[in-house]
Amino acid sequence: MGRHIVGSVSEVPPGGRKIVEVEGRSIGVFNVHGTFFALRNRCPHEGAPLCLGLVKGLTMPSMPGEYVWARDGEILRCPWHGWEFDILTGRTICDPERIRVKTYPVTVDGAEESAEGTDGDHESSIPPSVETFPVTTEEGVIVLHL
Ligand code: FES
């Protein structure tokens, strides 16, 4: 499994997406409420660029006259014919057991790491004559695994 850095966390805020080319495949990386998911950018119906579609929610089963909106930001609608996919699993809403789009694992590396040489447990191992400075990594990077 290859490891591919696709960008910094700040490039894809919650509700955002970034489409990347990795190993000859177009892949959409989505930030859904702070968690990253990756889907192949090819609809299994007729091959549309699925990851360009509208991100939305679902109207849930409810009583007549009631409209219950849920899962906002978790559903991707294909731009060509409107098939809907669960971004979290890649499965279609209409036939989740049979039809799905390929998904890929995504991790975030290097988030909020910091080191301070003059404070904490490490102080005793540093000679007193050495001046140290705090080092902070402000943001992580999004890593796609395929
Ligand atoms: S190509 Fe996606 S729904 Fe038809």
Side-chain angles (χ1 to χ4, degrees), residues 43-48 50 78-83 85:
C43 181
H45 180 217
E46 290 186 359
L50 175 63
C78 180
W80 283 6
H81 310 109
W83 285 18
F85 295 81

Side-chain angles (χ1 to χ4, degrees), residues 3 25 37 75-76 86 94 104 111-113 129 133 144:
R3 184 177 180 281
R25 282 169 262 196
F37 299 90
I75 308 300
L76 178 63
D86 185 336
C94 65
Y104 304 93
E112 297 298 326
E113 294 176 4
S129 60
F133 302 92
L144 180 63

